[in-house]
């Protein structure tokens, strides 16, 4: 029987809520290379989008798997908010992915392949290992979200407004709930060794499936083996400033034994987004 515990050893800032939003982005059509007319940049984001619906279901299942062991009402309320946010993310990315399906990309094949790995993980890993895997992916999404919000021009450049809006909204909610699974993991006695082991396997697996999905899109467009595609990709990911350079230090912080996601307090980015963008895309319930 678990004893009551504090919600977090590093609580989220008090002005940050973990609650889902109803949004409408007006994403009704999509140009094939919607990001700066560049195949790699467009398909990098498309590749991530095709990971989300199933990935987010895995996250939800993993936290539900330990929920009965948690007694802290604050943490239980955060878990409820987390599950609701991730469910909406999956739904919005399904709509985005349907536009890709209409363009002739084989999204079902990508889903089947990802489903195989997800089911295998659920079969082979203990509940705690599954939750540690979710913590690891949540760290990836949190540090990518942070960089996307801090350096919007580098990440989304001249992308259409609807695409900027959907990626920013997802980034904000990933920031709001970035510590929920981590706190749940610690609350059920999850330790450092498993957390790090699962981060190493997640880093390998996340890189593999993202690359596979991006390559699928590039191959369908007939640009997989073009030097210009990979020149652009290298510049986008590894050049200066380069997305990977922007997240690498934050990624390494996860390996510190005392790490907690809210040690990176970037909650002012949430306030800025709320002030500038939230109203425009919010769906207000009918009065
Ligand atoms: Fe999400
Ligand atoms: Fe998330």
């Amino acid at each position: 029987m678990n004893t009551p515990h504090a919600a977090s050893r590093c609580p989220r800032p008090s002005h940050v809520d973990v609650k889902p939003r109803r949004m409408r982005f007006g994403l009704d059509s999509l140009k094939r290379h919607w990001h700066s007319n560049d195949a790699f940049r467009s398909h990098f984001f498309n590749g991530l989008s095709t990971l989300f619906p199933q990935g987010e279901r895995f996250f939800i299942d993993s936290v539900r798997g330990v929920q009965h062991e948690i007694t802290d009402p604050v943490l239980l309320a955060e878990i409820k908010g987390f599950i609701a946010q991730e469910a909406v993310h999956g739904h919005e990315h399904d709509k985005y992915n349907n536009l890709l399906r209409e363009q002739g990309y084989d999204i079902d094949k990508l889903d089947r392949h990802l489903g195989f790995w997800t089911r295998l993980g659920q079969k082979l890993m203990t509940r705690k290992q599954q939750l540690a895997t979710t913590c690891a992916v949540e760290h990836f999404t949190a540090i990518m979200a942070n960089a996307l919000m801090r350096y919007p021009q580098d990440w989304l450049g001249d992308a259409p407004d609807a695409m900027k809006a959907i990626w920013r909204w997802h980034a904000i909610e990933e920031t709001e709930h970035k510590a929920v699974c981590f706190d749940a993991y610690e609350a059920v006695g999850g330790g450092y060794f498993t957390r790090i082991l699962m981060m190493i396997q997640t880093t390998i697996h996340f890189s593999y499936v993202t690359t596979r999905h991006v390559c699928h899109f590039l191959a369908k467009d007939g640009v997989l083996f073009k030097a210009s595609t990979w020149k652009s990709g290298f510049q986008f990911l590894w050049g200066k400033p380069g997305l990977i350079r922007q997240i690498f230090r934050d990624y390494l912080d996860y390996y510190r034994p005392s790490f907690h996601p809210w040690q990176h307090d970037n909650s002012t980015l949430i306030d800025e987004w709320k002030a500038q963008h939230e109203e425009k895309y919010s769906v207000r319930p009918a009065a």
Side-chain angles (χ1 to χ4, degrees):
M1 172 114 178
N2 275 53
T3 49
H5 48 77
S8 174
R9 63 183 161 82
C10 184
R12 77 187 137 83
S14 57
H15 62 286
V16 175
D17 262 342
V18 184
K19 285 189 181 146
R21 297 172 175 83
R22 287 182 62 212
M23 309 293 273
R24 186 176 293 134
F25 300 105
L27 190 64
D28 303 321
S29 62
L30 199 55
K31 223 175 92 181
R32 190 167 284 269
H33 296 159
W34 55 268
H35 191 325
S36 314
N37 280 322
D38 184 281
F40 188 92
R41 287 173 190 227
S42 307
H43 292 324
F44 174 77
F45 284 93
N46 294 343
L48 289 177
S49 181
T50 49
L51 298 178
F52 286 136
Q54 284 201 65
E56 284 164 333
R57 273 197 293 278
F58 176 90
F59 307 159
I60 291 170
D61 288 346
S62 72
V63 76
R64 277 199 177 130
V66 301
Q67 204 174 359
H68 63 282
E69 295 180 47
I70 294 170
T71 53
D72 185 322
V74 178
L75 186 52
L76 284 169
E78 288 183 356
I79 289 172
K80 196 173 163 203
F82 166 81
I83 289 173
Q85 284 190 334
E86 292 293 25
V88 179
H89 298 173
H91 184 67
E92 288 299 325
H93 280 276
D94 265 336
K95 288 198 262 177
Y96 172 169
N97 299 342
N98 278 337
L99 294 175
L100 299 171
R101 190 178 272 114
E102 284 167 16
Q103 290 178 350
Y105 301 112
D106 197 345
I107 305 301
D108 296 330
K109 183 176 159 194
L110 296 178
D111 277 348
R112 278 195 301 278
H113 176 258
L114 190 59
F116 165 79
W117 285 106
T118 307
R119 283 191 300 278
L120 190 68
Q122 287 175 323
K123 213 172 179 177
L124 296 181
M125 288 191 284
T126 65
R127 281 189 188 156
K128 217 171 264 181
Q129 288 169 339
Q130 289 178 47
L131 187 58
T133 301
T134 296
C135 293
V137 187
E138 284 288 295
H139 184 60
F140 269 107
T141 56
I143 61 178
M144 289 166 78
N146 177 61
L148 184 147
M149 298 302 294
R150 276 190 202 285
Y151 313 107
Q153 193 54 33
D154 296 338
W155 283 68
L156 286 164
D158 303 323
D161 282 350
M163 291 305 263
K164 283 183 181 163
I166 194 169
W167 284 104
R168 278 185 191 137
W169 155 79
H170 198 159
I172 284 300
E173 294 200 348
E174 288 304 318
T175 306
E176 288 172 334
H177 72 226
K178 65 179 175 177
V180 174
C181 291
F182 194 95
D183 287 338
Y185 178 72
E186 293 203 328
V188 298
Y192 177 72
F193 179 73
T194 301
R195 174 164 79 77
I196 294 311
L197 201 64
M198 292 303 108
M199 176 47 109
I200 293 167
Q201 72 88 10
T202 296
T203 302
I204 295 165
H205 191 233
F206 182 57
S207 306
Y208 163 64
V209 291
T210 306
T211 304
R212 192 177 191 279
H213 284 216
V214 172
C215 286
H216 168 80
F217 289 108
L218 294 172
K220 279 273 179 194
D221 286 356
V223 295
L224 180 59
F225 298 108
K226 272 179 95 171
S228 58
T229 301
W230 293 100
K231 192 176 165 206
S232 167
F234 185 82
Q235 177 59 34
F236 187 55
L237 297 177
W238 297 96
K240 282 187 179 171
L243 270 49
I244 290 174
R245 284 169 183 260
Q246 289 174 349
I247 63 171
F248 194 62
R249 273 171 176 255
D250 289 346
Y251 166 78
L252 288 182
D253 281 346
Y254 194 84
Y255 290 83
R256 278 191 287 108
S258 63
F259 173 78
H260 184 280
W262 276 118
Q263 287 164 354
H264 297 159
D265 183 356
N266 55 353
S267 56
T268 54
L269 296 170
I270 300 171
D271 303 332
E272 285 166 23
W273 176 81
K274 280 184 175 174
Q276 293 171 25
H277 303 290
E278 186 175 34
E279 181 79 18
K280 189 174 171 188
Y281 298 98
S282 282
V283 177
R284 298 259 164 255

